[in-house]
Amino acid sequence: MQTKLAKWSVFLMALLTTLSYAQEDKSKRPSPPATAKCDLPGAGSITVDYSSPRAKGRKIFGEVVPYGEPWRTGANEATTFVTTADVMVGGKHVPAGKYTIFTVPNKAEWVLIVSKKTGEWGTNYPGPENDLARIEMKASALPAAAENFTIAFDKTSGGCTLRIDWETTRASVEIGKM
């Protein structure tokens, strides 16, 4: 009888632990979730879901995030890029669908990687064989340091400018409808 009770106790504890993780309040994470959205002219939209780490006094680009290497572009789960319409990102065709994005930061310019592989945790770049496109991004200095990693869209006449801001750097690329 005690053996059955012990087994049920272990099962119940495991179940409760699993349920508590499933219901975790992600907004309380050190890198909380965030969303950026662009409504395209006519019809369609782009949504980017990511986690927003904080600089916390650290030197980010060139140290925490090395130059010249694929970076997860955020924290926690992989950053997703979902477009409901075919778009041109920096002159490259991206069909409607769900993708994971990575970036390769450099001092003068960045590269945006649109990966066909989705659903992974954010740390490991799945490799160039999964790339849909590699797109040059413009890098520039921010007028003031940004503590929170931010992905946002600025509306343009033909679509949006995707911008990534953190520390003292902005990387950006134009996105328009096909």
Side-chain angles (χ1 to χ4, degrees):
M1 182 71 169
Q2 280 186 330
T3 304
K4 283 186 177 181
L5 183 59
K7 285 181 181 178
W8 273 106
S9 295
V10 169
F11 172 76
L12 186 57
M13 290 299 288
L15 179 64
L16 291 174
T17 300
T18 301
L19 289 174
S20 72
Y21 281 119
Q23 296 177 358
E24 171 192 7
D25 183 356
K26 292 181 180 180
S27 69
K28 294 186 186 330
R29 289 178 171 177
S31 300
T35 299
K37 185 171 182 183
C38 170
D39 291 318
L40 298 165
S45 65
I46 303 165
T47 304
V48 175
D49 288 309
Y50 66 101
S51 291
S52 175
R54 308 307 193 232
K56 297 180 184 177
R58 301 174 293 174
K59 170 76 176 124
I60 301 301
F61 297 112
E63 290 187 18
V64 173
V65 176
Y67 287 126
E69 296 179 21
W71 173 51
R72 65 198 276 165
T73 313
N76 304 325
E77 296 86 357
T79 297
T80 61
F81 180 98
V82 178
T83 176
T84 61
D86 287 8
V87 292
M88 295 296 287
V89 180
K92 299 217 176 158
H93 177 230
V94 175
K98 181 176 181 176
Y99 305 95
T100 299
I101 59 172
F102 297 87
T103 50
V104 180
N106 287 295
K107 287 182 182 181
E109 72 175 27
W110 285 30
V111 175
L112 175 67
I113 301 170
V114 180
S115 176
K116 298 176 283 189
K117 185 166 168 95
T118 61
E120 63 276 297
W121 191 254
T123 57
N124 295 323
Y125 169 60
E129 64 276 5
N130 292 294
D131 292 358
L132 173 73
R134 284 182 169 241
I135 303 150
E136 290 182 14
M137 299 181 79
K138 177 183 168 188
S140 59
L142 289 170
E147 171 66 20
N148 299 351
F149 172 79
T150 304
I151 297 176
F153 289 102
D154 296 322
K155 198 82 166 137
T156 65
S157 60
C160 302
T161 299
L162 169 70
R163 63 179 167 81
I164 298 171
D165 294 349
W166 201 18
E167 193 187 29
T168 58
T169 301
R170 170 171 290 164
S172 60
V173 65
E174 298 296 320
I175 301 176
K177 225 172 148 186
M178 293 276 310

